[in-house]
Amino acid sequence: MHVIIAGNSESDGQEVVRKIKEETLTGKVEFLYCDLASMKSIRQFVQEFRARNCPLHVLVNNAGVMLVPERKTEDGFEEHFGLNYLGHFLLTNLLLDTLKQSGTHSHNARIITVSSATHYVGKLHLNDLQSRCSYSPHGAYAQSKLALVLFTYRLQHLLTANGSHVTANVVDPGVVNTELYKHVFWVVKVVKWMTAWIFFKTPEEGASTTIYAAVSPEVEGAGGCYLYNEERTKSADLAYDEELQRRLWTESCKMVGISDEASRLP
């Protein structure tokens, strides 16, 4: 595979590229800068990617922040919602044409979006998606992860209605020992440090279901699934609300400034 790593740290990205080349002895990996907290950066990334005239068979949406203090992205969005959700929403939509051109009847292009079990307790406040009325780091994070599940299900519906050879699935990686927890309360950090080797997955273990969704023949042609430990499982009941999916999609298009093509589909 030709792998393109998108990230907001040039130095970290280039270091990962170096390690992958060293371990796999392949030159088919590169880094492109993309800050998912910036709509401008996302659009620039897509332009750079398109300039390469590469097909796109697998898109993995796997960026995020968790429990950050109340703050906004450069576009004025609450950071959890703006980065975790809207950034991926815009990136995916801007790359959809390339994905559709790359998929075939026997080998669908695949979109994998990483959510979290936190979505089970999430609530979607359509009248206050930016958490302006009442901000809670836990609530904002859970809402962003629920939004990713709703987005994936709506996206799959639209792809199917369009006859596209592209599938969209959502992954729960489990509790993984990464830097994502740097904003939690210090007591939680201590407990995490003491128990991580028992209860937390390593990053490699946490990536297993994402890789399964990206390359396994078992999910070829299957979309609209919630995957955990490499198995299809049930997401939150609220995530199956098709009216909520539709309303979130329409509102998201307005927020990121793209046309709602869904309105022209059955």
Side-chain angles (χ1 to χ4, degrees):
M1 289 189 175
H2 178 184
V3 177
I4 295 178
I5 299 170
N8 66 347
S9 171
E10 181 82 26
S11 57
D12 289 349
Q14 295 296 354
E15 176 63 15
V16 171
V17 167
R18 185 191 65 77
K19 287 181 179 178
I20 293 174
K21 287 183 175 180
E22 192 176 83
E23 292 177 15
T24 64
L25 302 180
T26 176
K28 290 188 175 182
V29 56
E30 60 182 307
F31 172 83
L32 284 181
Y33 182 86
C34 181
D35 180 0
L36 282 166
S38 164
M39 301 295 120
K40 180 181 178 181
S41 178
I42 293 167
R43 292 179 182 277
Q44 289 175 337
F45 167 82
V46 171
Q47 281 187 334
E48 281 194 63
F49 175 78
R50 284 178 174 165
R52 282 164 165 70
N53 291 316
C54 291
L56 180 57
H57 298 105
V58 179
L59 171 65
V60 179
N61 292 318
N62 182 48
V65 292
M66 184 175 78
L67 307 184
V68 296
E70 186 173 10
R71 59 194 188 197
K72 291 179 170 60
T73 67
E74 68 176 46
D75 301 288
F77 300 124
E78 186 279 314
E79 190 168 4
H80 290 98
F81 197 77
L83 194 159
N84 294 4
Y85 170 65
L86 286 177
H88 291 119
F89 179 86
L90 178 62
L91 179 67
T92 302
N93 273 280
L94 294 180
L95 291 172
L96 266 184
D97 284 345
T98 307
L99 285 156
K100 290 174 181 177
Q101 293 163 11
S102 304
T104 65
H105 179 72
S106 57
H107 290 91
N108 282 254
R110 304 185 187 190
I111 300 166
I112 297 96
T113 297
V114 179
S115 181
S116 159
T118 311
H119 92 274
Y120 285 104
V121 297
K123 296 179 181 178
L124 196 77
H125 302 286
L126 275 171
N127 296 323
D128 187 26
L129 291 172
Q130 303 303 317
S131 304
R132 293 191 178 100
C133 294
S134 175
Y135 181 77
S136 156
H138 293 85
Y141 176 70
Q143 177 180 244
S144 70
K145 291 301 178 178
L146 173 61
L148 288 170
V149 184
L150 288 157
F151 154 67
T152 299
Y153 292 167
R154 179 62 178 166
L155 176 58
Q156 184 58 56
H157 171 81
L158 298 174
L159 289 167
T160 301
N162 211 4
S164 303
H165 298 306
V166 183
T167 58
N169 290 303
V170 62
V171 165
D172 175 359
V175 183
V176 187
N177 190 11
T178 68
E179 287 296 308
L180 191 64
Y181 295 86
K182 63 184 178 183
H183 291 289
V184 300
F185 192 54
W186 70 268
V187 173
V188 178
K189 288 183 179 179
V190 171
V191 173
K192 174 181 175 289
W193 178 77
M194 295 173 63
T195 63
W197 64 281
I198 303 175
F199 299 112
F200 285 65
K201 293 182 178 181
T202 65
E204 290 80 8
E205 292 168 339
S208 65
T209 302
T210 298
I211 295 168
Y212 171 80
V215 301
S216 174
E218 293 177 25
V219 289
E220 172 58 45
C225 303
Y226 187 85
L227 302 169
Y228 176 63
N229 283 345
E230 300 183 17
E231 293 183 354
R232 302 178 200 186
T233 187
K234 189 174 179 293
S235 62
D237 290 339
L238 188 61
Y240 297 104
D241 185 331
E242 294 183 1
E243 177 63 13
L244 191 60
Q245 295 168 15
R246 184 190 64 77
R247 291 177 64 191
L248 174 63
W249 184 281
T250 299
E251 187 61 28
S252 301
C253 288
K254 293 177 185 175
M255 295 172 84
V256 301
I258 60 174
S259 62
D260 185 2
E261 293 186 11
S263 61
R264 299 196 292 271
L265 292 173

Coordinates of all heavy atoms in Angstrom, one line a residue, residues 46-107:
V46 N -6.5 18.5 1.1 CA -7.2 17.8 0.0 C -6.6 18.3 -1.3 O -6.5 17.4 -2.3 CB -8.7 18.1 0.1 CG1 -9.4 17.6 -1.1 CG2 -9.3 17.4 1.4
Q47 N -6.3 19.5 -1.5 CA -5.7 20.0 -2.7 C -4.4 19.4 -3.0 O -4.1 18.9 -4.1 CB -5.5 21.5 -2.7 CG -6.8 22.4 -2.9 CD -6.5 23.9 -3.0 OE1 -5.5 24.4 -2.4 NE2 -7.3 24.6 -3.7
E48 N -3.6 19.3 -2.0 CA -2.2 18.6 -2.1 C -2.4 17.1 -2.5 O -1.7 16.6 -3.3 CB -1.5 18.7 -0.8 CG -0.8 20.1 -0.6 CD 0.2 20.0 0.5 OE1 1.2 19.2 0.4 OE2 0.0 20.7 1.5
F49 N -3.4 16.5 -1.8 CA -3.6 15.1 -2.1 C -4.1 14.9 -3.5 O -3.6 14.0 -4.2 CB -4.6 14.5 -1.1 CG -5.0 13.0 -1.4 CD1 -4.1 12.0 -1.1 CD2 -6.2 12.8 -2.1 CE1 -4.4 10.7 -1.4 CE2 -6.5 11.4 -2.4 CZ -5.6 10.4 -2.1
R50 N -5.0 15.7 -3.9 CA -5.5 15.5 -5.3 C -4.5 15.8 -6.4 O -4.5 15.2 -7.4 CB -6.7 16.5 -5.5 CG -8.0 16.0 -4.9 CD -9.1 17.1 -5.1 NE -10.4 16.6 -4.6 CZ -11.4 17.5 -4.4 NH1 -11.3 18.8 -4.6 NH2 -12.5 17.0 -3.9
A51 N -3.5 16.7 -6.0 CA -2.5 17.0 -7.0 C -1.6 15.8 -7.3 O -0.9 15.7 -8.3 CB -1.6 18.1 -6.4
R52 N -1.6 14.8 -6.4 CA -0.8 13.6 -6.6 C -1.5 12.6 -7.6 O -0.9 11.6 -8.0 CB -0.6 12.9 -5.3 CG 0.5 13.6 -4.4 CD 0.5 13.1 -3.0 NE 1.7 13.5 -2.3 CZ 2.1 14.7 -1.9 NH1 1.3 15.7 -2.3 NH2 3.2 14.9 -1.3
N53 N -2.7 12.8 -7.9 CA -3.5 12.0 -8.8 C -3.5 10.5 -8.3 O -3.3 9.6 -9.1 CB -3.0 12.0 -10.2 CG -3.3 13.4 -10.8 OD1 -4.4 13.9 -10.7 ND2 -2.3 14.0 -11.5
C54 N -3.5 10.3 -7.0 CA -3.6 9.0 -6.4 C -5.0 8.5 -6.2 O -5.9 9.3 -6.0 CB -2.9 9.0 -5.0 SG -1.2 9.3 -5.0
P55 N -5.2 7.2 -6.3 CA -6.5 6.7 -5.9 C -6.6 6.7 -4.4 O -5.6 6.9 -3.7 CB -6.5 5.2 -6.5 CG -5.1 4.9 -6.5 CD -4.3 6.1 -6.8
L56 N -7.8 6.6 -3.9 CA -8.0 6.5 -2.4 C -8.9 5.3 -2.1 O -10.1 5.4 -2.3 CB -8.5 7.8 -1.9 CG -8.8 7.9 -0.4 CD1 -7.5 7.6 0.4 CD2 -9.4 9.3 0.0
H57 N -8.3 4.3 -1.6 CA -9.0 3.1 -1.3 C -9.5 3.0 0.2 O -10.4 2.3 0.5 CB -8.2 1.8 -1.7 CG -7.9 1.8 -3.1 ND1 -6.6 2.0 -3.6 CD2 -8.7 1.5 -4.2 CE1 -6.7 1.9 -5.0 NE2 -7.9 1.6 -5.3
V58 N -8.7 3.6 1.1 CA -9.0 3.5 2.5 C -8.8 4.9 3.1 O -7.7 5.5 3.0 CB -8.1 2.5 3.2 CG1 -8.5 2.5 4.7 CG2 -8.3 1.1 2.6
L59 N -9.8 5.4 3.8 CA -9.7 6.7 4.5 C -9.9 6.3 6.0 O -11.0 5.8 6.3 CB -10.7 7.7 4.0 CG -10.8 9.0 4.9 CD1 -9.5 9.8 4.9 CD2 -11.9 9.9 4.4
V60 N -9.0 6.6 6.9 CA -9.2 6.4 8.3 C -9.2 7.7 9.0 O -8.3 8.5 9.0 CB -8.0 5.5 8.9 CG1 -8.2 5.3 10.4 CG2 -7.9 4.2 8.2
N61 N -10.4 8.0 9.6 CA -10.6 9.2 10.4 C -10.3 8.9 11.9 O -11.1 8.3 12.6 CB -12.0 9.7 10.3 CG -12.3 10.2 8.9 OD1 -11.5 10.9 8.2 ND2 -13.5 9.8 8.3
N62 N -9.1 9.3 12.3 CA -8.6 8.9 13.6 C -7.9 10.0 14.4 O -6.9 9.7 15.1 CB -7.6 7.7 13.4 CG -7.1 7.1 14.7 OD1 -7.9 6.8 15.6 ND2 -5.8 6.9 14.8
A63 N -8.4 11.2 14.4 CA -7.8 12.3 15.2 C -8.8 12.6 16.3 O -10.0 12.3 16.2 CB -7.5 13.5 14.3
G64 N -8.3 13.3 17.3 CA -9.2 13.7 18.4 C -8.5 14.3 19.6 O -7.3 14.1 19.8
V65 N -9.3 15.1 20.3 CA -8.9 15.6 21.6 C -10.0 15.1 22.6 O -11.1 14.7 22.3 CB -8.9 17.1 21.7 CG1 -7.7 17.6 20.8 CG2 -10.2 17.7 21.2
M66 N -9.6 15.1 23.9 CA -10.6 14.6 24.9 C -10.5 15.4 26.2 O -9.4 15.6 26.7 CB -10.3 13.1 25.2 CG -11.2 12.5 26.2 SD -11.0 10.7 26.5 CE -9.6 10.8 27.6
L67 N -11.6 15.8 26.7 CA -11.7 16.5 28.0 C -10.9 17.8 28.0 O -10.3 18.1 29.1 CB -11.4 15.6 29.1 CG -12.1 14.2 29.2 CD1 -11.7 13.4 30.4 CD2 -13.6 14.4 29.1
V68 N -10.8 18.5 26.9 CA -10.0 19.7 26.9 C -10.8 20.8 27.6 O -12.1 20.8 27.6 CB -9.6 20.2 25.5 CG1 -8.7 19.2 24.9 CG2 -10.9 20.4 24.6
P69 N -10.2 21.8 28.2 CA -11.0 22.9 28.7 C -11.7 23.7 27.6 O -11.4 23.5 26.4 CB -9.9 23.8 29.4 CG -8.6 23.4 28.7 CD -8.7 22.0 28.3
E70 N -12.7 24.5 28.0 CA -13.5 25.1 27.0 C -12.6 26.1 26.2 O -12.1 27.0 26.7 CB -14.6 25.9 27.7 CG -15.6 26.5 26.6 CD -16.8 27.1 27.3 OE1 -16.8 27.3 28.5 OE2 -17.8 27.5 26.6
R71 N -12.6 25.8 24.9 CA -11.9 26.6 23.9 C -12.4 26.4 22.5 O -13.1 25.4 22.3 CB -10.4 26.4 24.0 CG -9.9 25.0 23.8 CD -8.5 24.8 24.2 NE -8.0 23.5 23.8 CZ -6.9 22.9 24.3 NH1 -6.2 23.5 25.3 NH2 -6.4 21.7 23.9
K72 N -12.0 27.3 21.6 CA -12.5 27.2 20.2 C -11.4 27.0 19.2 O -10.3 27.3 19.4 CB -13.3 28.5 19.9 CG -14.6 28.7 20.7 CD -15.2 30.0 20.3 CE -16.6 30.1 20.9 NZ -16.6 30.0 22.4
T73 N -11.8 26.4 18.1 CA -10.9 26.2 17.0 C -10.8 27.6 16.3 O -11.5 28.5 16.6 CB -11.4 25.2 16.0 OG1 -12.6 25.7 15.3 CG2 -11.7 23.9 16.6
E74 N -9.9 27.7 15.3 CA -9.7 29.0 14.6 C -11.0 29.4 13.8 O -11.1 30.6 13.5 CB -8.5 28.9 13.6 CG -8.7 28.0 12.4 CD -7.5 28.1 11.5 OE1 -6.4 28.0 11.9 OE2 -7.8 28.2 10.3
D75 N -11.9 28.4 13.6 CA -13.1 28.7 12.9 C -14.2 29.1 13.9 O -15.4 29.3 13.4 CB -13.5 27.6 12.0 CG -12.5 27.2 11.0 OD1 -12.3 28.0 10.0 OD2 -11.8 26.2 11.1
G76 N -13.9 29.0 15.2 CA -14.9 29.4 16.2 C -15.8 28.3 16.7 O -16.8 28.5 17.3
F77 N -15.4 27.0 16.3 CA -16.2 25.9 16.8 C -15.6 25.4 18.2 O -14.4 25.5 18.4 CB -16.1 24.7 15.8 CG -16.6 25.0 14.4 CD1 -15.8 24.9 13.3 CD2 -17.9 25.5 14.3 CE1 -16.2 25.1 12.1 CE2 -18.4 25.8 13.0 CZ -17.5 25.6 11.9
E78 N -16.5 24.9 19.0 CA -16.1 24.3 20.3 C -15.1 23.1 19.9 O -15.4 22.4 18.9 CB -17.3 23.7 21.0 CG -17.0 23.2 22.4 CD -16.5 21.7 22.3 OE1 -17.1 20.9 21.6 OE2 -15.5 21.4 23.0
E79 N -14.0 23.0 20.6 CA -12.9 22.2 20.1 C -13.2 20.7 19.9 O -12.9 20.1 18.9 CB -11.7 22.3 20.9 CG -10.4 21.7 20.3 CD -9.1 22.0 21.0 OE1 -9.2 22.7 22.1 OE2 -8.1 21.6 20.6
H80 N -13.9 20.1 20.8 CA -14.3 18.7 20.7 C -15.1 18.5 19.4 O -14.9 17.6 18.6 CB -15.1 18.2 21.9 CG -14.4 18.0 23.1 ND1 -14.4 19.0 24.1 CD2 -13.6 17.0 23.6 CE1 -13.6 18.6 25.1 NE2 -13.1 17.4 24.8
F81 N -16.2 19.3 19.3 CA -17.1 19.2 18.1 C -16.4 19.6 16.8 O -16.5 18.9 15.8 CB -18.3 20.1 18.3 CG -19.5 19.7 17.4 CD1 -20.2 18.6 17.7 CD2 -19.7 20.4 16.3 CE1 -21.3 18.2 16.8 CE2 -20.8 20.1 15.4 CZ -21.6 19.0 15.7
G82 N -15.6 20.6 16.9 CA -14.9 21.1 15.7 C -13.8 20.2 15.1 O -13.7 19.9 13.9
L83 N -13.0 19.7 16.0 CA -11.9 18.8 15.6 C -12.3 17.4 15.5 O -12.1 16.7 14.5 CB -10.7 18.9 16.6 CG -9.4 18.4 16.2 CD1 -8.3 19.0 17.1 CD2 -9.3 16.9 16.4
N84 N -12.9 16.8 16.6 CA -13.3 15.4 16.5 C -14.3 15.1 15.5 O -14.2 14.0 14.8 CB -13.9 15.0 17.9 CG -12.8 15.1 19.0 OD1 -11.7 15.5 18.8 ND2 -13.2 14.6 20.2
Y85 N -15.3 16.0 15.3 CA -16.4 15.7 14.3 C -16.3 16.4 13.0 O -16.2 15.9 12.0 CB -17.7 15.8 15.0 CG -18.8 15.8 14.1 CD1 -19.1 14.6 13.4 CD2 -19.6 16.9 13.8 CE1 -20.1 14.5 12.4 CE2 -20.6 16.8 12.8 CZ -20.9 15.6 12.2 OH -21.9 15.6 11.2
L86 N -16.4 17.8 13.1 CA -16.5 18.6 11.9 C -15.3 18.5 11.0 O -15.5 18.5 9.8 CB -16.8 20.0 12.3 CG -18.2 20.4 12.8 CD1 -18.3 21.9 13.1 CD2 -19.3 20.1 11.7
G87 N -14.1 18.3 11.6 CA -12.9 18.2 10.8 C -13.0 16.9 9.9 O -12.7 16.9 8.7
H88 N -13.4 15.8 10.5 CA -13.6 14.6 9.8 C -14.7 14.6 8.8 O -14.7 14.1 7.7 CB -13.8 13.4 10.8 CG -12.6 13.1 11.6 ND1 -12.6 13.2 13.0 CD2 -11.4 12.7 11.3 CE1 -11.4 12.9 13.5 NE2 -10.6 12.6 12.4
F89 N -15.8 15.3 9.2 CA -16.9 15.5 8.3 C -16.5 16.2 7.0 O -16.8 15.7 5.9 CB -18.1 16.2 9.0 CG -19.3 16.5 8.2 CD1 -20.3 15.5 8.1 CD2 -19.4 17.6 7.4 CE1 -21.4 15.7 7.3 CE2 -20.6 17.8 6.6 CZ -21.6 16.9 6.6
L90 N -15.8 17.3 7.1 CA -15.4 18.0 6.0 C -14.4 17.2 5.1 O -14.5 17.1 3.9 CB -14.8 19.4 6.4 CG -14.3 20.2 5.2 CD1 -15.4 20.6 4.2 CD2 -13.6 21.5 5.7
L91 N -13.4 16.7 5.8 CA -12.3 15.9 5.1 C -13.0 14.8 4.3 O -12.6 14.6 3.1 CB -11.3 15.3 6.1 CG -10.2 14.5 5.5 CD1 -9.3 15.3 4.7 CD2 -9.4 13.8 6.6
T92 N -13.9 14.0 4.9 CA -14.5 12.9 4.2 C -15.3 13.4 3.0 O -15.2 12.8 1.9 CB -15.4 12.1 5.2 OG1 -14.6 11.7 6.3 CG2 -16.0 10.9 4.5
N93 N -16.1 14.4 3.2 CA -16.9 14.9 2.1 C -16.0 15.4 0.9 O -16.4 15.2 -0.3 CB -17.9 16.0 2.6 CG -19.1 15.4 3.1 OD1 -20.0 15.1 2.3 ND2 -19.2 15.3 4.4
L94 N -14.9 16.1 1.2 CA -14.1 16.6 0.2 C -13.3 15.5 -0.6 O -12.9 15.7 -1.7 CB -13.1 17.6 0.7 CG -13.6 18.9 1.3 CD1 -12.5 19.8 1.9 CD2 -14.5 19.7 0.3
L95 N -13.2 14.3 0.1 CA -12.5 13.2 -0.6 C -13.5 12.2 -1.2 O -13.0 11.2 -1.8 CB -11.6 12.5 0.4 CG -10.4 13.3 0.9 CD1 -9.7 12.6 2.1 CD2 -9.4 13.6 -0.3
L96 N -14.8 12.4 -1.0 CA -15.7 11.4 -1.5 C -15.6 11.1 -3.0 O -15.7 9.9 -3.4 CB -17.2 11.9 -1.2 CG -17.8 11.4 0.2 CD1 -19.2 11.9 0.3 CD2 -17.7 9.9 0.3
D97 N -15.5 12.1 -3.8 CA -15.4 11.9 -5.3 C -14.2 10.9 -5.6 O -14.3 10.0 -6.4 CB -15.2 13.2 -6.0 CG -16.5 14.0 -6.1 OD1 -17.6 13.4 -5.9 OD2 -16.5 15.2 -6.5
T98 N -13.1 11.2 -4.9 CA -11.9 10.3 -5.2 C -12.2 8.9 -4.7 O -11.8 7.9 -5.3 CB -10.7 10.9 -4.5 OG1 -10.5 12.2 -4.9 CG2 -9.4 10.1 -4.8
L99 N -12.8 8.8 -3.5 CA -13.2 7.5 -3.0 C -14.1 6.7 -4.0 O -13.9 5.5 -4.2 CB -13.8 7.6 -1.6 CG -12.9 7.9 -0.5 CD1 -13.6 8.6 0.7 CD2 -12.2 6.6 0.0
K100 N -15.1 7.4 -4.5 CA -16.1 6.8 -5.4 C -15.4 6.4 -6.7 O -15.7 5.3 -7.2 CB -17.2 7.8 -5.7 CG -18.1 8.1 -4.5 CD -19.1 9.2 -4.9 CE -20.1 9.5 -3.7 NZ -21.0 10.6 -4.0
Q101 N -14.4 7.1 -7.2 CA -13.7 6.8 -8.4 C -12.8 5.6 -8.1 O -12.5 4.8 -9.1 CB -12.9 8.0 -8.9 CG -13.8 9.1 -9.4 CD -13.0 10.4 -9.5 OE1 -11.7 10.4 -9.4 NE2 -13.7 11.5 -9.7
S102 N -12.4 5.4 -6.9 CA -11.4 4.3 -6.6 C -12.0 3.0 -6.3 O -11.4 1.9 -6.5 CB -10.5 4.8 -5.4 OG -9.9 6.0 -5.6
G103 N -13.3 3.0 -5.8 CA -13.9 1.8 -5.4 C -14.5 1.0 -6.7 O -14.8 1.7 -7.7
T104 N -14.5 -0.3 -6.6 CA -15.1 -1.1 -7.6 C -16.1 -2.1 -7.0 O -16.2 -2.2 -5.8 CB -14.0 -1.9 -8.4 OG1 -13.4 -2.9 -7.4 CG2 -12.9 -1.0 -8.9
H105 N -16.8 -2.8 -7.9 CA -17.8 -3.7 -7.4 C -17.2 -4.8 -6.5 O -17.8 -5.2 -5.5 CB -18.5 -4.4 -8.6 CG -19.6 -5.3 -8.2 ND1 -20.8 -5.0 -7.6 CD2 -19.6 -6.7 -8.2 CE1 -21.5 -6.1 -7.3 NE2 -20.8 -7.1 -7.7
S106 N -16.0 -5.3 -6.9 CA -15.4 -6.3 -6.1 C -14.5 -5.8 -5.0 O -14.2 -6.6 -4.0 CB -14.6 -7.3 -7.0 OG -13.6 -6.5 -7.7
H107 N -14.1 -4.6 -5.1 CA -13.2 -4.0 -4.0 C -13.7 -2.6 -3.7 O -13.2 -1.6 -4.3 CB -11.8 -4.0 -4.5 CG -11.1 -5.3 -4.6 ND1 -11.1 -6.1 -5.7 CD2 -10.5 -6.1 -3.6 CE1 -10.5 -7.2 -5.5 NE2 -10.1 -7.2 -4.2

